[in-house]
């Protein structure tokens, strides 16, 4: 196989102004779940300008197709499009023009990088042995856009044989590529718990069933499930992210509402944690004269990298950034990612491209920012990965 890496790097330089402009424009106008109308139009306009076939699915999602002139498989490349409801720090170099909204996870860079990869791979069409499908996905940060896109036929016509996604990463040094086999991102479940007690006068607790005291016990027991019931070598998190009960100082309320997240990788660990949580809730409410409603909403499965796909990405990335910049994170990330639905359907790998220069860059933080130049690296890495997969 001819090595295309020099051409890919050359094309990444050449198309950088297009990517840079896209990133600046997306950063200025951040949009959230299924409202990525302007984002979607920007993608569509650029793909049209360069003659890349595409259509809109799942409201604001865009699917593009680059048909190689040689027969072969189909590889899917994915970028998430959505921003966050967060007010950007006033000191930011690139400014969001929408108050209360911000691209604070780097998805503006993901879209810009995938647009560049589309232009690069489209230029290599005559030598491309197979097809490249482009997945611009809405709503990663909230309700999830991957599943609706799959439901609307994303993985068909032509059928997808493998998939790759990149996340820009504030923990990794600028230009490093982190790739891991197996568990990469956790399965995030949401739980909703109502502790039902008996309200009354704060001065006479003996006549009540205090849901606040029950909640305090339950929250502690949840953390003890993590330390005492779970196998210490199987990662898991329980976080109570919200608790609401009572209004004033002298009334014991009748109920307390707790909302939180459970993060796991292993289905068995997940089952154990949910059942132990329910046991704890039942025991405490039973002992203290209350009752409960407990619901677990399964959101995404865990993202598990297929080792063969991870290897293809590793070798491809090394051609772009050099082998010394390829790192293997030792532990998976407890964050959730709905790319999991794609990775559950076809062999896939999810990689991280570093943006850190100096101090670690925190995602979902009002000061989040990165040097746009990184999209030269991310677009070249993902293009080389797609090409290497198709050429195998
Ligand atoms: Zn995020
Ligand atoms: Zn993200």
């Amino acid at each position: 196989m001819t090595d295309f890496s020099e051409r890919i790097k050359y094309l990444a330089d050449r198309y950088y102004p297009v990517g840079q402009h896209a990133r600046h424009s997306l950063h200025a106008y951040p949009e959230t779940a299924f409202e990525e109308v302007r984002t979607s139009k920007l993608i569509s306009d650029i793909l049209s300008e360069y003659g890349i076939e595409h259509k809109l699915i799942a409201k604001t999602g865009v699917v593009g197709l680059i048909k190689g002139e040689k027969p072969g498989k189909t590889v899917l490349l994915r970028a998430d499009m959505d921003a966050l409801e967060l007010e950007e720090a006033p000191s930011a170099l690139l400014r969001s023009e929408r108050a209360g909204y911000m691209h604070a996870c780097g998805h503006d860079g993901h879209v810009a990088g995938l647009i560049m990869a589309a232009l690069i791979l489209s230029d290599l069409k005559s030598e491309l042995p197979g097809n490249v499908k482009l997945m611009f996905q809405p709503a990663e940060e909230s309700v999830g856009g991957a599943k609706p896109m799959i439901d609307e036929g994303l993985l068909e016509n032509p059928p997808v044989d493998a998939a790759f996604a990149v996340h820009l990463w504030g923990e990794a040094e600028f230009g490093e590529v982190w790739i891991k086999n197996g568990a990469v991102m956790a399965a995030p479940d949401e739980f909703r718990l109502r502790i039902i007690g008996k309200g009354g006068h704060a001065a006479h607790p003996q006549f009540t069933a205090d849901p606040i005291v029950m909640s305090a016990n339950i929250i502690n027991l949840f953390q003890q499930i993590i330390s005492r019931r779970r196998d210490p070598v199987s990662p898991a998190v329980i976080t109570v992210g919200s608790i609401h009960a009572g209004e004033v100082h002298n009334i014991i309320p009748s109920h307390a509402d707790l909302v939180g997240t459970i993060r796991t990788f292993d289905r068995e660990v997940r089952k154990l944690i949910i059942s132990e949580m329910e046991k704890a809730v039942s025991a405490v409410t039973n002992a203290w004269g209350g009752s409960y409603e407990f619901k677990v909403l399964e959101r995404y499965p865990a993202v598990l990298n297929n080792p063969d796909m991870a290897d293809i990405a590793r070798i491809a990335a090394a051609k772009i950034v050099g082998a010394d910049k390829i790192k293997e994170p030792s532990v998976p990330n407890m964050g959730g990612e709905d790319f999991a639905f794609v990775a559950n359907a076809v062999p896939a790998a999810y990689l991280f491209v570093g943006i850190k220069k100096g101090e670690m860059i925190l995602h979902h933080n009002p000061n989040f920012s990165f040097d746009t130049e990184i999209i030269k690296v991310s677009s070249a890495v993902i293009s080389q990965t797609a090409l290497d997969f198709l050429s195998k």
Side-chain angles (χ1 to χ4, degrees), residues 38-334:
R38 200 175 171 277
T39 305
S40 182
K41 187 172 181 306
L42 178 137
I43 296 164
S44 173
D45 286 349
I46 298 174
L47 296 182
S48 296
E49 196 187 323
Y50 286 86
I52 297 170
E53 177 188 332
H54 64 280
K55 62 180 180 189
L56 257 72
I57 66 168
K59 284 188 192 155
T60 47
V62 181
V63 186
L65 184 64
I66 300 162
K67 286 187 190 136
E69 286 170 18
K70 295 178 188 170
K73 294 180 176 170
T74 297
V75 61
L76 178 143
L77 305 177
R78 181 268 210 166
D80 38 11
M81 306 153 71
D82 57 328
L84 290 153
E85 282 186 55
L86 181 71
E87 183 68 34
E88 190 162 56
S91 57
L93 277 176
L94 291 177
R95 290 286 299 152
S96 163
E97 286 164 18
R98 289 188 79 201
Y101 292 87
M102 177 190 175
H103 266 292
C105 201
H107 301 186
D108 48 348
H110 300 173
V111 170
L114 187 55
I115 288 173
M116 282 173 64
L119 306 189
I120 294 168
L121 290 163
S122 184
D123 268 14
L124 301 174
K125 208 153 67 175
S126 60
E127 286 138 297
L128 212 58
N131 311 307
V132 179
K133 208 176 257 195
L134 311 161
M135 173 190 186
F136 294 93
Q137 183 214 300
E140 189 279 325
E141 297 283 7
S142 54
V143 288
K147 181 134 194 323
M149 288 185 86
I150 293 171
D151 292 344
E152 289 187 32
L154 170 76
L155 302 177
E156 303 308 320
N157 265 328
V160 170
D161 298 291
F164 297 92
V166 170
H167 205 301
L168 298 176
W169 208 239
E171 219 182 312
E173 290 296 333
F174 192 90
E176 277 181 3
V177 180
W178 288 11
I179 307 174
K180 190 181 173 303
N181 285 357
V184 187
M185 303 288 275
D189 293 313
E190 181 182 333
F191 67 85
R192 293 184 191 161
L193 173 62
R194 169 163 283 191
I195 308 295
I196 304 157
K198 195 166 127 200
H201 200 297
H204 311 297
Q206 70 275 29
F207 304 128
T208 71
D210 187 344
I212 294 183
V213 172
M214 285 190 268
S215 301
N217 279 305
I218 286 165
I219 293 167
N220 280 318
L221 286 177
F222 283 175
Q223 297 317 317
Q224 287 166 31
I225 292 169
I226 296 296
S227 70
R228 300 290 86 174
R229 301 300 297 149
R230 173 200 53 125
D231 178 343
V233 297
S234 291
V237 172
I238 304 174
T239 291
V240 176
S242 153
I243 167 162
H244 286 276
E247 301 292 340
V248 289
H249 73 102
N250 57 356
I251 298 174
I252 290 171
S254 59
H255 65 265
D257 287 317
L258 285 75
V259 177
T261 186
I262 304 164
R263 307 279 168 126
T264 53
F265 291 94
D266 184 283
R267 301 292 296 175
E268 287 307 309
V269 174
R270 177 180 179 273
K271 236 167 71 186
L272 172 96
I273 284 183
I274 293 171
S275 111
E276 292 292 331
M277 285 173 79
E278 179 137 24
K279 274 205 284 197
V281 171
S282 164
V284 170
T285 51
N286 211 358
W288 296 97
S291 60
Y292 68 93
E293 290 160 12
F294 180 56
K295 226 177 12 190
V296 177
L297 311 165
E298 187 165 8
R299 293 188 64 208
Y300 316 148
V303 178
L304 307 175
N305 273 355
N306 175 296
D308 295 335
M309 298 305 119
D311 267 345
I312 291 173
R314 253 179 222 115
I315 293 163
K319 292 178 192 168
I320 302 297
V321 297
D324 58 320
K325 291 208 169 140
I326 310 298
K327 301 268 157 77
E328 171 110 21
S330 55
V331 288
N333 185 301
M334 296 314 289

